[in-house]
Amino acid sequence: MFRKFAPEDISTQNQVKSSVQRAIRSKVCASYPSLEESGAIEHIFPKKESAIVAKLPDHLQVVIVHGTPLFFAQRDGPWFPTLRLLHQYPDMMKKLRADVGAIKFVLSGAHIMCPGLTSPGATIHDEVDADTPVAIYAEGKEHAMAVGLTKMSTKDMRELNKGIGPQPPRSKRAAKAPSAAWRRGRIQRAIE
């Protein structure tokens, strides 16, 4: 989500109170129950570790633990994992696989249209309801290329086969994921 992210874009970054940290952690556990069931949440987001919430333009918040961005949310929306975290724990989210033709558009931040998920090369791995966070994979690729929020259930996607399926978190700045900024060291430099 942050292709044009720079350290000066961070409006504030604060160590959050333990009550705020517990609230974020409980929302993450509610959205991704497999993290709690497997015990991975203790390694990812330990209870006793301090967390920093960095606020970015377009009402974006990023949770940082040990200098690593873990989750991000826009406004009061759901907390999405960064692609880096999703690649480490690929089973934490429900999965949808888009066909090859959708790859360049998804990587540009476009919505994922239903025909791109119901074509012969695409797969709907998990049944989900509307407004569910999902990982979006590409046909023939091992790792997720995006995360998004479904606008309709997978049943409706199959039946209607038109309109927007999952929608990536939107930003006015054509977005990727916080991990892109993290790889470039911008968040780390901003924290120090």
Side-chain angles (χ1 to χ4, degrees):
M1 264 202 90
F2 313 98
R3 184 183 314 172
K4 296 181 181 177
F5 174 78
E8 51 273 358
D9 289 338
I10 296 175
S11 59
T12 61
Q13 57 179 358
N14 298 318
Q15 183 173 342
V16 294
K17 297 189 299 185
S18 60
S19 60
V20 174
Q21 186 171 336
R22 279 193 310 270
I24 293 170
R25 184 183 155 108
S26 67
K27 288 179 185 177
V28 166
C29 288
S31 296
Y32 313 111
S34 64
L35 288 178
E36 196 168 31
E37 293 165 3
S38 67
I41 193 70
E42 294 301 326
H43 299 289
I44 296 169
F45 199 169
K47 286 182 181 178
K48 299 295 181 183
E49 293 295 325
S50 60
I52 295 171
V53 173
K55 295 189 179 185
L56 304 170
D58 302 326
H59 304 281
L60 221 54
Q61 300 177 61
V62 179
V63 174
I64 303 166
V65 176
H66 296 298
T68 305
L70 299 177
F71 297 95
F72 65 97
Q74 192 168 17
R75 297 190 187 267
D76 292 329
W79 289 96
F80 292 100
T82 61
L83 288 180
R84 176 186 170 98
L85 181 63
L86 184 58
H87 292 169
Q88 291 174 348
Y89 299 94
D91 296 328
M92 70 184 284
M93 296 180 81
K94 304 286 185 177
K95 299 177 185 176
L96 301 177
R97 186 171 306 274
D99 62 6
V100 174
I103 295 173
K104 67 180 178 181
F105 299 107
V106 173
L107 292 178
S108 297
H111 301 296
I112 296 90
M113 305 306 282
C114 290
L117 296 169
T118 57
S119 66
T123 311
I124 296 177
H125 292 281
D126 300 304
E127 294 297 322
V128 296
D129 294 327
D131 297 323
T132 303
V134 293
I136 300 147
Y137 288 76
E139 176 184 358
K141 304 296 180 191
E142 177 183 354
H143 297 294
M145 63 177 167
V147 293
L149 193 66
T150 56
K151 291 295 162 195
M152 61 177 78
S153 69
T154 50
K155 180 182 175 191
D156 291 340
M157 287 180 208
R158 283 191 190 98
E159 290 175 3
L160 298 176
N161 200 22
K162 68 190 298 190
I164 299 171
Q167 176 181 355
R170 301 303 294 176
S171 171
K172 293 177 185 171
R173 297 177 177 231
K176 286 289 172 274
S179 57
W182 182 85
R183 279 194 301 271
R184 286 183 240 147
R186 291 181 177 159
I187 289 179
Q188 185 64 33
R189 284 195 304 265
I191 293 171
E192 295 171 348

